Amino acid sequence: MTEHEHVRVAVIGSGFGGLGAAVRLRREGVTDFVVLERADSVGGTWRDNSYPGCACDVPSHLYSFSFAPNPDWPRTFSGQEHIRAYLEHVTDVFGLRPHLRLNTEVKLMTWDGERLRWVIETGRGTLTADIVVSATGPLSDPKVPDIPGLDTFPGKVFHSARWDHDYDLRGKRVAMVGTGASAIQIVPAIQPQVAKLTLFQRTPPWVMPRVDRAISGAERLLHRTLPVTARLRRGLLWGIRELQVQAFTKRPDELGLVEQLAKRNMFRAVKDPALRAKLTPDYRIGCKRILLSSTYYPALAEPNVDVVASGLSEIRGSTVVAADGSEAEVDAIVFGTGFHVTDMPIAERVVGAEGKTLAEAWSSGMKSLRGATAAGFPNWMTIIGPNTGLGNSSMILMIESQLNYLADYVRQLDVLGGQAALDARPGAVDAWNHRVQERMKRTVWATGGCTSWYLDDNGVNTTVWPGTTTEFRGATRHVDLAEYDLIRTPAQVPEPAQVPAQVPEPAQVPASTTARPAPRTKKKAEAEA
């Protein structure tokens, strides 16, 4: 990379979002782009999370790109190694490796208003880009709580997303902190190996059985021979989840039956009434992410496992102390405490048109236009932005919708011609965010009686999409220019036409580099998500 390298588009990150963006750009005829990746290989969260038992809780045929079907998924719910291999395969099949810049961490992105481009400082030099697509994802930067005494703990400490494979847990006394999606996979994977496992649980999750099985050779052969069968399978998986959305977003009371199924799953494995009481949630199912496992409860019932229904509050030497005062001696601490989702660190590295960072712009809460663009940050787009998460279906569906929006964004700039930028209007961002939050009030995430990682420090759900994937696909199919300011360099702004002396001169209008295009149609301008 040279200091003066310039590209049409710079994509940040090489997980599903970044690779999907790269494929879509090539399909649109854009080849002047780079994919900046801080690690030494592609894969995003499926590269970073390699802990024992790591797997997806979305069926394999739905957790893949529609434009890159995989007929050879080995299981109905694929493991981390299979998903990572799939992303490597996508990288090769679509010829993305020449565009990759591995081991290239983005340090700072600054908008240059005079040249209408982004100046991107990386660990390997500086480049500029007309458009930035941030695909770092919300599950990329681990969150470790600030526990008093942690820095003096003499044993081993690591986060689930930074698993130390060189450390042997066999025969060790291990503290597992957290009961989220990672923890319920780690616990049954390591329980048979460790001498003692102490699980620190602040809030018990709702856990449904994970009906996983090997996909037979005959099924895979059928999908290879008749690709339509794989599409039908994917369509069925998608349709079932679309029908479930109503219960989450409009009729949470209908989830009572699902709660009974989850309790039955627990009662089959856990016979101890005291342990059952610890593991039974006191909030509506779906308020926090519903977890899938058929091995979690059986592992907790084993004699070498102790469930502490309290968070970890202090560490004294090799002694871990819970908020309820209980103590345990441990050799290792594993944090399954999630990620920086509502306070993504990448936001601190993006400096917009007004000289403030995206983190500063989002200091009172993340918000964007259609989950993609932010006011004051021209030609900057995020994949899996605010309120694009899902609680019951595949995020790949949402990513592909945002790729449609990206494609039309690039087309609109091409049609406008010259050197141009689009900046989301604050009013449009506020209007979109208001509609989203109004819909959120009826959802189980707002009424279910829990505190989840979907909520920011102000208690606002800036994470989840309160509708179907079909609705989001419609809302992101095209870019509405009425929601954007068109920015050009001063040299490109046309001078006012000369007015004959005998005609009264119109009122003077201050010169501006910003043109405000009219809505395409009244119907389009009034459309709601």
Side-chain angles (χ1 to χ4, degrees):
M1 183 184 300
T2 65
E3 185 175 354
H4 302 292
E5 181 181 5
H6 178 75
V7 293
R8 175 72 165 143
V9 184
V11 179
I12 317 299
S14 67
F16 269 100
L19 296 180
V23 171
R24 192 57 188 267
L25 288 170
R26 285 183 62 91
R27 292 175 64 183
E28 292 296 317
V30 179
T31 57
D32 182 17
F33 69 89
V34 293
V35 179
L36 305 177
E37 170 56 57
R38 64 184 177 184
D40 59 2
S41 61
V42 303
T45 190
W46 294 106
R47 174 200 59 237
D48 296 340
N49 287 269
S50 59
Y51 56 79
C54 184
C56 190
D57 57 6
V58 175
S60 303
H61 285 272
L62 193 58
Y63 200 79
S64 49
F65 291 121
S66 62
F67 54 79
N70 178 17
D72 290 312
W73 287 115
R75 303 194 66 83
T76 52
F77 289 88
S78 291
Q80 174 265 344
E81 67 276 16
H82 304 128
I83 298 173
R84 184 178 181 184
Y86 170 77
L87 291 173
E88 293 280 2
H89 177 72
V90 168
T91 303
D92 290 329
V93 167
F94 289 93
L96 303 182
R97 296 212 181 268
H99 300 277
L100 290 177
R101 303 290 188 272
L102 301 176
N103 298 305
T104 305
E105 182 175 6
V106 172
K107 303 292 187 180
L108 188 66
M109 293 176 277
T110 306
W111 175 249
D112 183 342
E114 294 185 359
R115 296 188 295 170
L116 300 188
R117 58 180 53 177
W118 285 93
V119 179
I120 306 169
E121 299 174 33
T122 78
R124 301 181 63 185
T126 302
L127 74 158
T128 57
D130 295 331
I131 304 169
V132 167
V133 179
S134 179
T136 58
L139 305 181
S140 57
D141 291 284
K143 178 183 289 187
V144 176
D146 185 14
I147 306 294
L150 179 60
D151 57 342
T152 63
F153 179 68
K156 191 69 177 180
V157 178
F158 51 86
H159 190 278
S160 59
R162 301 292 185 268
W163 195 271
D164 188 341
H165 291 278
D166 294 328
Y167 184 74
D168 191 355
L169 290 176
R170 286 179 295 182
K172 300 295 196 304
R173 299 166 299 175
V174 180
M176 180 76 225
V177 184
T179 53
S182 299
I184 71 157
Q185 294 180 343
I186 294 170
V187 166
I190 68 173
Q191 174 271 319
Q193 306 172 11
V194 302
K196 182 69 175 181
L197 178 59
T198 304
L199 176 66
F200 288 86
Q201 168 194 273
R202 287 192 305 173
T203 308
W206 284 104
V207 182
M208 294 289 288
R210 185 168 178 262
V211 187
D212 186 27
R213 65 172 179 83
I215 298 177
S216 68
E219 290 176 90
R220 285 181 274 171
L221 177 62
L222 178 64
H223 293 332
R224 285 196 302 272
T225 307
L226 295 173
V228 67
T229 60
R231 291 196 296 271
L232 288 172
R233 185 172 190 161
R234 177 187 176 91
L236 178 62
L237 293 168
W238 165 79
I240 292 173
R241 283 155 179 78
E242 288 291 272
L243 294 174
Q244 294 172 346
V245 172
Q246 295 292 329
F248 286 85
T249 60
K250 295 181 180 179
R251 296 187 289 272
D253 289 342
E254 295 182 357
L255 292 166
L257 176 60
V258 184
E259 287 184 5
Q260 294 305 313
L261 295 175
K263 288 180 179 179
R264 189 176 304 171
N265 179 45
M266 182 203 305
F267 289 1
R268 278 197 297 262
V270 180
K271 306 304 180 184
D272 179 7
L275 182 55
R276 283 183 184 175
K278 290 181 180 180
L279 300 177
T280 302
D282 62 357
Y283 56 89
R284 174 65 75 192
I285 193 170
C287 184
K288 294 169 72 76
R289 183 177 176 181
I290 300 175
L291 307 181
L292 302 181
S293 177
S294 298
T295 56
Y296 179 63
Y297 288 139
L300 296 185
E302 292 295 327
N304 68 331
V305 178
D306 183 22
V307 177
V308 179
S310 181
L312 178 61
S313 66
E314 185 183 358
I315 298 172
R316 303 172 192 153
S318 59
T319 303
V320 289
V321 184
D324 64 3
S326 59
E327 301 180 357
E329 293 289 319
V330 298
D331 304 303
I333 303 174
V334 179
F335 285 99
T337 46
F339 301 84
H340 290 276
V341 175
T342 59
D343 57 342
M344 294 187 289
I346 190 67
E348 299 175 354
R349 306 183 184 191
V350 185
V351 181
E354 297 179 1
K356 62 182 179 181
T357 66
L358 185 61
E360 292 172 327
W362 282 352
S363 59
S364 59
M366 298 192 305
K367 58 181 180 179
S368 64
L369 177 58
R370 303 182 187 273
T373 54
F377 297 83
N379 283 8
W380 183 90
M381 182 176 295
T382 181
I383 305 295
I384 315 183
N387 290 114
T388 60
L390 295 177
N392 74 309
S393 192
S394 173
M395 278 306 301
I396 312 306
L397 302 171
M398 301 295 279
I399 289 173
E400 289 197 31
S401 292
Q402 293 198 286
L403 299 183
N404 290 340
Y405 199 72
L406 168 63
D408 198 50
Y409 194 100
V410 174
R411 290 189 211 112
Q412 295 289 353
L413 287 175
D414 288 341
V415 170
L416 291 168
Q419 193 171 1
L422 294 175
D423 188 9
R425 294 182 175 181
V429 175
D430 290 340
W432 172 263
N433 188 65
H434 176 74
R435 293 197 296 268
V436 168
Q437 293 304 325
E438 282 298 305
R439 294 183 62 177
M440 196 70 71
K441 293 177 180 179
R442 305 166 55 181
T443 69
V444 69
W445 309 301
T447 64
C450 75
T451 299
S452 72
W453 58 266
Y454 299 150
L455 309 180
D456 64 15
D457 291 339
N458 300 312
V460 179
N461 190 329
T462 58
T463 305
V464 182
W465 168 246
T468 65
T469 62
T470 302
E471 290 175 293
F472 191 75
R473 180 65 58 97
T476 54
R477 192 172 300 278
H478 299 292
V479 171
D480 185 350
L481 289 180
E483 296 179 326
Y484 288 88
D485 286 329
L486 171 61
I487 304 174
R488 293 192 184 278
T489 59
Q492 291 179 290
V493 178
E495 295 291 334
Q498 294 295 320
V499 181
Q502 66 271 22
V503 179
E505 292 188 2
Q508 294 296 311
V509 179
S512 173
T513 61
T514 301
R516 297 180 180 269
R520 291 175 178 171
T521 64
K522 181 179 180 182
K523 180 178 179 182
K524 181 71 175 177
E526 295 176 350
E528 291 190 355

